[in-house]
Structure formats: C-alpha cells, structure tokens
Amino acid sequence: MLDRRTWWCRGLLLLRARPCLASSRRGGSSRDKDRSVSVSSSVSMPSGGKGSRTSCAQPSPQKVTNRLISEKSPYLLQHAYNPVDWYPWGQEAFDKAKKENKPIFLSVGYSTCHWCHMMEEESFRNEEIGRLLNEDFVSVKVDREERPDVDKVYMTFVQATSSGGGWPMSVWLTPNLQPFVGGTYFPPEDGLTRVGFRTVLLRIRDQWKQNKNALLENSQRVTTALLARSEISTGDRQLPPSAATMNSRCFQQLDEGYDEEYGGFAEAPKFPTPVILSFLFSYWLSHRLTQDGSRAQQMALHTLKMMANGGIRDHIGQGFHRYSTDRQWHVPHFEKMLYDQGQLAVAYSQAFQISGDEFYIDVAKGVLQYVARNLSHRSGGFYSAEDADSPPERGVPPKEGAFYVWTTKEVQQLLPEPVLGATEPLTSGQLLMKHYGLTEAGNISPGQDPKGELQGQNVLTVRYSLELTAARFGLEVEVVRTLLNTGLEKLFQARKRRPKPHLDCKMLAAWNGLMVSGYAVTGAVLGMERLVTYATNGAKFLKRHMFDVGSSRLMRTCYAGSGGTVEHSNPPCWGFLEDYAFVVRGLLDLYEASLESAWLEWALRLQDTQDRLFWDARGGGYFCSEAELGAGLPLRLKDDQDGAEPSANSVSAHNLLRLHGFTGHKDWIDKCVCLLTAFSERMRRVPVALPEMVRALSAHQQTLKQIVICGDPQAKDTKALVQCVHSIYIPNKVLILADGDPSSFLSRQLPFLSTLRRLEDRATAYVCENQACSMPITEPSELRKLLHH
C-alpha cells in the first residue's frame, strides 16, 4: 500500500467513505478483480432506497435536464435530471477543467448499483450540493460497465490509498486526469463516524485554492508509484513457472480458506466464484487418485450444492443473485448480473459431467431459462442486469429485495389446498414453508436488515432434502416434489403482478460472450439443440450489431431501443480486451457445440484484431484497453485478477492454446508462453488471485488433446461420438469435425486431417496429442474408455 502521506495535503482529511456492499457486488475481497472491494463485515449496510428508477425506454420527466440526457447508458440517464452540471467522460469536460482551473469530480457507478442509487437520491438531487459541484468542480459521470478502463485506473488508486474500494466510486482529479483524493459512497452530511459529501467538497475546494501546487506534486508522486507497482512484464524471465507448483500452491490456499459447513471461501459476504470452482474441477481431474484431488472435487460440488439450495438462488424465477450477505448463502443482495448467469451455467454443467447428479444440470437449465425469459433481446442479445431494488407496490419507493421476499400470510393465501395423505393436517402452503424455511416472524435477521425494511419477510432457502420433508409428513417423495413445484409456479405467477426491478438494457459484448458460452456448453453437454440455438442467436447478434466489418473491431456496447430495435452511442464505444477475449471464448465453445466452422473462422479473425490492438510486444501479455482509447489516462493496465469474472489475460491464454489446437499456428502458442511468463511473478506470489491462469498454465504444460471426429455431421453415428465427448469433463481439449472435404476451413488449417479416414465407412474418432493420434475408434463406449483414461 502506498504511504498515505504522499496523497494527504496540509490537513486534508483522509476521505474514507465506507465501501458500499452493493458496490462490492462484483466480488468479495481484494482478490476479486477490479470488480471486487474490501468490505468491513463490522459495518451494517442499509437495504433500501428511495425514489424511483429510470427504465431503458425513457427516464421519468422532471423539470430540467443536464447533458446526460443525450447519452444511451441507463446509468447516465438516471442522473440526467440532477441539478449537477454533469459531463460524460470526454474532452469537453477536460478542456473546461483546464480553462477554468478547476478539479474534476469523477463519479463512477452502474445502473443496478444500490448505493449508487442512494448517493444519487441523497446528494446529486440536492440543490445545495449541486451548486457546490457546479461552482467549484467539473463533474464527470461514468458508467463503469461502458468504460471499464476508466473504472480500473481510478479504482486502482482508491484501493491503494484507502481501506478498500467500491461503487459509487468518487475520485477527485487534476485537469490532467491525475487522481489526488478518492473514496466511495458518501452520505450527504457528516455523521458520528463518517464525513459527509458536502464537507468533503468544501475541504477539497479550499485545499485546491490554497495548496494546489502541493496537491499536484503529491498526485504526480502517487501516479508514478502506481505505475511502477502495476507494471506486468516478462522482465528477465524466459519461461513461466512450473504448473505443478502453481497448482499445488493455489489448491492449498483455497483449502485453507474453505468453509467446511456451508461451502465457499469466505465468511461473509460470500460471492459465486466460478473461476475457483473451475480450477478445483481441473485440479481434481489431474489428481484423481490422490486425497487432494478428492478434496478438490468435494469442495467444488459442495459449494455448488449449498449455493443452489441457498437464498442466493431464486427458487421461484431461477437464476442467481449477486452475492450472499451471510455465510449460509441465505439472504442475498438481490441484484442479478448476466455474467454470473453465464459462468454459473457452465460450472453446474461441469458438475453434472463430473458427478452424474442431475441436480446440477437442473440448476444450469434453470439459469438459462431465467436468462431466456428476463435478460434476452428479441434479436438474440442479452441484457446486463436486473436491479436489487423495486417498489413493494405501485407508487411506493423502491426497497431492496421487495420483488423477491414473502410473508407467510401471502404464501398461505396463495396455497390453501389441503395435502391429502399427510400424517397431520397440512396445506400446500405449510408444506412449502417448512421445506423452504419460511417463518411467521420472517427468516431475515435484524443484523441483515438494519433499516427494518424486511421485517416479517422471508427468503426461500432449501432447509431439508425432499426425502426428509416427505418423511416429516409421511408422504411419498414424488408427491412432495410435485406439490412443491406446483406451489413455486403459483408463487411465480403471483410475483409477476408485483412491480418489477429495473432492467439494465445495455448489452455488453464481453458479457454476451460469457452467455454464449453458457448456452453452448450446457447445450452440448445435454445434447439440446434448443440451447445451442440460443448460443448461435447470441453470436449472430454480436456479429450483426456489435462488430464493424471494415476494421474487424468489436463494439463494447449497444442498447435496446423502442420496438425491439438496437441502438448505438455516437461515436460508438469500442471494445476492450475483455470483449475480445470473452467473445472469442464464446465462439470457440459454440463451434464445439454446433461444429459450424464459420464461428471458428470469426474467432480467428477477432483474435488477430485483439493481438493488433492490445498485445504488449515489449513486456508480454495484453493491455486492458487500446492505447488510443485510453489516451490521457495516467495508467495503461493489464488485468491481473480472476474474480467475479475471469481476467481477460487468463481467458486469452486459454483461447491462444485452443486456437493453436484448431489451427497449428505457432505464433499463438508463442504468445501464450510469453503471456504466462509475463504474469509469472503474480502467479508465484498469489496463485489464488489467478486460478484461471494457473489452469491455462497447466493446460499448456500438459498439452491439449485434439479429438477429431471423421464423419457426416448429420449422421447418427457421428452425433453419438460427438455426444460421448461432450458428456465427459475434458477441459484441456479441442473437438474437431473432419467432414472429408479437403477444401474446408479446418482441413486447410490442419493438413494432417486429410490423412485420417473413416473406418468401414463409419463415423470414426481419433485422439491426438503431441502430433500423434490414437488408433481409429468407432464405438462411443471405446472412446469413453480412452478419454477417461
């Protein structure tokens, strides 16, 4: 951590606003990428908000608008009626700050952030605070999901110079965009333990007028220190570290932090961490015959089961909330994010491959059902998120979780039917309440509800197995299953009549890529064409609406317009590294699910563009943003944490390995080695911060399997072999269809495919490693034995 004296200035108080729990919803500790923040568990967090939310279509009209009314971002539009003279991020604001010699107040958040709503309602609607900002500062508002580069640069500063970070992020900059003070959420006025936003503004205004030169000097020192600390390069290293060593260290660090009783890797709050679960599954596969391997499998499967049974999963409408406020996965922060759904669908599908337990695949299908119903644009794209807050009833201010919680009275009124055959008088409502832990007093403790807004309310969480609930009332298991499913459907229909949470209708290329993977992988595992079609439609949407053919560049964002149209900002917001990395991964997963080579061809084209725009030829690895796009920012960073989302460099390492497996192009394997070498020091120091990259390191040092199926893609015997491959958990492989056409895309990439023949005119599989292929296999059972071996 930087010495705080380097950024204090003559009595300017350290502006330690508490990080908001809703703002930390991108992760639970400093290990969770730029989306994660440290949250003090001793600080109680309010659950509700006031006022109303704007929708995708049109903000609610008030008196006067500011510049943000011309923006597309739902988050910026939520601030378009503030008395603050907001500017979007751009040269106009920077020129004004220089011309008028004023500091910039930068406020960063996103449209479904609970504490962003709070600060907007409490401070940015306040006329006096608006006057202070307009007279003495140039105020800039940024949607962190549109500009992750801006967010990451200044979050790096906030986390390095205070006790944590979060959203809304509040940072004060020089006109040259160098930060000198930072914090997160501020209440409008001073409290017993916290400085208020108005006081902060007055102090910074006075310091800027009286001690500006000292502020500028300290800001420059901090920026220089951050730049040195954040540099990632190969240096003098020639090769990456040992995969075996990194695997062992990463596993041991996870094992030490594991919650034996409830699963997961922290006390509270607890976040879904698909990158960790994915690492544990890979670790199990390569250590199956050891005690540690069994332990890794148990940790991952137990965590997934506890999450799925907990309140973090929406048992009525499906999908997962952002995180749990408690150790038991019981009371969630109710926001739902697209990137969680995409990754968790893959994690639960992998759990099914490994365990054969249909519980896991049912959860995955529920996640995808939720996305199809609630987060899908009619043209195939996927929306970003649903808010945690909503009005309990029309005309009432929003509260967190209002859409999702229940009283026992409501449940009893909806489910009054007597249950026949029970050993005691019982209604359907009482059966459901027993199974899901609902109580008349409510099952949310006061500690999780400091404002008392959820008093008497319940979150559904599975308390007993079906067998135990059935035994409790002397019923058959299938009878209980049917009654519970019928009850949940009735609650679902009743809930549809409640005011819905705000929908963030922004569509991000990166998160759409993760969702394409979610549908493609689950569809492949189950052999369900319908799910693969959702993935295909998502990829078509990306190509049609978020890809510029002339420059081969991805756009970062587009937005749902009226009447099912798709709109773009002008000028367009171009893609960042994560957009390319996650879309390329989605396309590779979609090729393996559909065996349509057009998706593989587009993946190669996007990888070429990614290499051109983001590769660091001097230090190795990829920068998060284009040099031109980030012009003026004090830092150009490389993402070095796998958190709520995997690091784009970790995903890129996997993509490069897979693309080499599909094409044989040596340049990509060389880039992968260089990337892994650049991140060597980070992996050696804290391997648990990069579990996805440790997986890529293992895949590189163990080499990928090329599983080639020679056959007609429409023939039953071909499909049987393909489905055999998809039914087995094999993370380090590429699946290739050789249809016998020497002019096909893959045959041109991999000439050896033309030497592989069908045996007796039947679909035939070959498993190739290190430029050597197995004997031909025509029976799925024989292929299964070989792949398991």
Side-chain angles (χ1 to χ4, degrees):
M1 183 174 287
L2 298 177
D3 184 344
R4 288 190 180 127
R5 287 173 296 181
T6 64
W7 70 289
W8 284 19
C9 185
R10 296 187 187 181
L12 180 63
L13 290 179
L14 177 64
L15 303 176
R16 261 195 192 166
R18 66 180 175 186
C20 59
L21 194 56
S23 70
S24 68
R25 60 190 71 177
R26 298 286 190 272
S29 72
S30 59
R31 295 201 300 248
D32 270 355
K33 205 186 173 205
D34 62 340
R35 294 177 161 59
S36 59
V37 297
S38 301
V39 179
S40 170
S41 58
S42 63
V43 178
S44 62
M45 299 295 174
S47 305
K50 302 171 185 173
S52 59
R53 308 278 179 263
T54 58
S55 67
C56 292
Q58 187 67 38
S60 2
Q62 296 175 16
K63 293 180 182 175
V64 181
T65 61
N66 55 49
R67 288 174 186 79
L68 300 185
I69 197 66
S70 301
E71 297 297 308
K72 298 290 185 186
S73 159
Y75 176 65
L76 299 189
L77 288 172
Q78 286 171 352
H79 296 75
Y81 293 90
N82 295 161
V84 179
D85 186 19
W86 289 114
Y87 284 77
W89 180 265
Q91 198 59 48
E92 184 184 6
F94 311 151
D95 290 344
K96 178 180 172 69
K98 289 175 184 174
K99 182 180 177 181
E100 299 181 9
N101 191 24
K102 291 179 178 177
I104 293 169
F105 167 60
L106 173 65
S107 177
V108 182
Y110 54 102
S111 79
T112 57
C113 164
H114 171 74
W115 284 88
C116 301
H117 300 330
M118 290 291 285
M119 195 162 177
E120 190 268 336
E121 290 155 4
E122 295 170 341
S123 293
F124 300 145
R125 293 185 193 179
N126 183 294
E127 296 286 346
E128 182 188 356
I129 286 175
R131 276 195 300 274
L132 271 173
L133 284 168
N134 297 343
E135 289 171 6
D136 298 303
F137 302 88
V138 175
S139 300
V140 176
K141 177 61 72 174
V142 167
D143 183 336
R144 67 167 306 278
E145 292 167 354
E146 283 190 332
R147 290 300 302 258
D149 57 331
V150 175
D151 176 67
K152 183 163 179 59
V153 164
Y154 295 111
M155 186 61 75
T156 299
F157 166 78
V158 170
Q159 289 180 328
T161 55
S162 71
S163 59
W167 298 277
M169 177 169 64
S170 305
V171 190
W172 284 263
L173 319 176
T174 70
N176 290 325
L177 307 184
Q178 292 184 331
F180 60 91
V181 171
T184 55
Y185 163 81
F186 293 94
E189 302 296 337
D190 296 348
L192 291 175
T193 58
R194 294 172 296 150
V195 63
F197 189 56
R198 190 173 67 88
T199 301
V200 170
L201 292 174
L202 291 171
R203 290 177 182 172
I204 293 176
R205 178 194 68 182
D206 294 344
Q207 290 298 318
W208 183 261
K209 290 178 178 177
Q210 298 165 18
N211 301 301
K212 186 176 72 171
N213 289 338
L215 278 177
L216 295 175
E217 289 172 11
N218 284 330
S219 175
Q220 182 59 54
R221 279 199 291 271
V222 171
T223 303
T224 302
L226 284 174
L227 188 61
R229 197 183 79 162
S230 62
E231 185 176 5
I232 292 171
S233 68
T234 55
D236 297 330
R237 292 178 290 273
Q238 300 297 314
L239 292 171
S242 156
T245 302
M246 294 301 97
N247 264 290
S248 178
R249 287 184 189 170
C250 188
F251 171 75
Q252 292 303 326
Q253 289 178 349
L254 290 172
D255 192 25
E256 288 166 10
Y258 182 64
D259 183 339
E260 296 285 352
E261 190 172 359
Y262 296 104
F265 302 89
E267 284 295 314
K270 272 188 177 174
F271 294 78
T273 48
V275 289
I276 289 177
L277 301 170
S278 187
F279 167 81
L280 290 172
F281 284 149
S282 290
Y283 187 87
W284 160 77
L285 190 65
S286 56
H287 297 78
R288 273 180 295 183
L289 302 180
T290 70
Q291 188 175 350
D292 282 352
S294 298
R295 169 74 168 161
Q297 184 198 51
Q298 179 265 329
M299 287 161 64
L301 292 177
H302 180 56
T303 297
L304 285 166
K305 185 152 279 189
M306 296 303 291
M307 282 169 45
N309 284 334
I312 191 174
R313 179 183 172 206
D314 179 2
H315 294 277
I316 293 172
Q318 299 302 315
F320 281 82
H321 299 294
R322 180 69 280 270
Y323 62 81
S324 172
T325 61
D326 54 78
R327 180 186 163 206
Q328 293 84 4
W329 305 105
H330 177 201
V331 181
H333 174 68
F334 292 90
E335 174 192 24
K336 289 179 177 178
M337 305 300 298
L338 182 69
Y339 62 79
D340 281 326
Q341 317 308 322
Q343 293 180 91
L344 286 169
V346 172
Y348 279 96
S349 297
Q350 291 172 338
F352 171 66
Q353 287 177 311
I354 290 166
S355 70
D357 186 342
E358 293 196 359
F359 170 87
Y360 296 106
I361 204 64
D362 287 343
V363 176
K365 287 191 289 187
V367 167
L368 299 181
Q369 179 188 36
Y370 159 72
V371 173
R373 184 180 61 239
N374 288 57
L375 296 180
S376 292
H377 188 273
R378 66 173 65 172
S379 298
F382 303 105
Y383 301 131
S384 295
E386 283 192 306
D387 209 326
D389 300 6
S390 61
E393 54 189 75
R394 306 203 185 280
V396 175
K399 294 182 180 179
E400 183 167 8
F403 186 70
Y404 299 101
V405 293
W406 299 86
T407 64
T408 54
K409 183 179 179 182
E410 288 175 304
V411 175
Q412 286 172 328
Q413 287 175 342
L414 287 166
L415 305 173
E417 307 87 0
V419 176
L420 302 178
T423 52
E424 62 186 75
L426 182 71
T427 66
S428 294
Q430 289 168 331
L431 177 71
L432 186 139
M433 289 188 294
K434 183 72 174 179
H435 187 74
Y436 287 102
L438 279 65
T439 67
E440 193 170 335
N443 64 12
I444 300 169
S445 71
Q448 294 163 300
D449 180 28
K451 284 194 172 182
E453 292 176 321
L454 298 174
Q455 189 173 359
Q457 301 284 347
N458 291 274
V459 173
L460 272 67
T461 180
V462 175
R463 300 303 300 272
Y464 308 100
S465 67
L466 287 172
E467 289 77 10
L468 281 175
T469 299
R472 167 71 177 77
F473 298 109
L475 298 167
E476 295 294 326
V477 170
E478 285 308 311
V479 170
V480 170
R481 189 194 310 274
T482 300
L483 287 168
L484 290 176
N485 287 341
T486 301
L488 292 174
E489 177 60 24
K490 288 184 178 179
L491 295 187
F492 176 72
Q493 294 302 327
R495 200 173 75 175
K496 284 165 68 174
R497 296 191 286 272
R498 295 176 175 179
K500 289 182 172 58
H502 158 70
L503 173 70
D504 185 339
C505 61
K506 177 174 72 270
M507 288 171 274
L508 301 173
W511 297 1
N512 271 252
L514 291 174
M515 206 63 238
V516 167
S517 287
Y519 275 107
V521 170
T522 308
V525 168
L526 289 172
M528 290 181 65
E529 286 297 324
R530 181 173 58 84
L531 298 182
V532 178
T533 298
Y534 272 104
T536 301
N537 290 339
K540 287 179 178 177
F541 180 91
L542 283 163
K543 196 164 189 180
R544 185 183 306 120
H545 295 290
M546 305 187 79
F547 178 62
D548 181 67
V549 177
S551 64
S552 292
R553 290 167 80 192
L554 284 171
M555 297 175 198
R556 168 72 173 173
T557 59
C558 64
Y559 310 86
S562 58
T565 59
V566 176
E567 298 178 350
H568 296 85
S569 55
N570 187 19
C573 183
W574 294 109
F576 297 91
L577 174 63
E578 65 179 38
D579 296 297
Y580 289 85
F582 295 177
V583 171
V584 169
R585 171 191 269 189
L587 294 174
L588 298 181
D589 289 338
L590 179 54
Y591 166 73
E592 293 196 350
S594 68
L595 300 176
E596 294 179 9
S597 63
W599 301 122
L600 189 55
E601 293 184 58
W602 190 31
L604 267 65
R605 185 176 177 185
L606 288 178
Q607 186 66 49
D608 284 334
T609 305
Q610 176 182 320
D611 294 347
R612 173 169 55 87
L613 295 177
F614 304 101
W615 181 253
D616 179 5
R618 181 182 64 84
Y622 293 97
F623 289 110
C624 294
S625 58
E626 294 182 43
E628 291 180 10
L629 191 63
L633 286 172
L635 305 172
R636 191 181 183 205
L637 300 172
K638 296 173 186 174
D639 206 352
D640 64 350
Q641 295 215 223
D642 296 321
E645 299 164 55
S647 152
N649 270 288
S650 297
V651 173
S652 294
H654 284 278
N655 290 346
L656 291 166
L657 286 173
R658 293 173 75 182
L659 287 166
H660 175 260
F662 282 120
T663 66
H665 294 182
K666 187 174 182 297
D667 177 56
W668 280 329
I669 204 76
D670 291 343
K671 269 192 168 66
C672 180
V673 172
C674 188
L675 185 158
L676 294 170
T677 304
F679 284 85
S680 289
E681 186 56 36
R682 176 69 165 160
M683 277 193 282
R684 283 193 181 99
R685 195 168 65 250
V686 201
V688 76
L690 284 167
E692 188 73 5
M693 192 170 286
V694 173
R695 278 208 322 120
L697 178 67
S698 299
H700 163 61
Q701 294 187 1
Q702 293 170 8
T703 72
L704 292 185
K705 287 183 172 71
Q706 292 169 307
I707 304 174
V708 183
I709 310 292
C710 300
D712 176 355
Q714 301 305 319
K716 284 184 179 179
D717 55 354
T718 303
K719 289 182 177 180
L721 290 174
V722 168
Q723 194 53 44
C724 172
V725 175
H726 287 313
S727 70
I728 304 170
Y729 176 68
I730 320 168
N732 302 334
K733 64 102 171 69
V734 294
L735 174 62
I736 296 169
L737 176 71
D739 60 6
D741 179 2
S743 64
S744 70
F745 174 74
L746 276 166
S747 293
R748 297 196 310 271
Q749 302 293 321
L750 297 170
F752 83 89
L753 293 181
S754 63
T755 67
L756 303 180
R757 297 280 184 266
R758 299 187 201 184
L759 198 63
E760 299 174 354
D761 205 30
R762 299 168 64 190
T764 305
Y766 297 85
V767 179
C768 306
E769 289 183 85
N770 296 317
Q771 299 178 318
C773 292
S774 69
M775 296 294 289
I777 301 167
T778 57
E779 291 297 330
S781 58
E782 292 300 313
L783 178 59
R784 180 177 300 276
K785 283 181 189 175
L786 178 60
L787 293 176
H788 273 305
H789 177 71

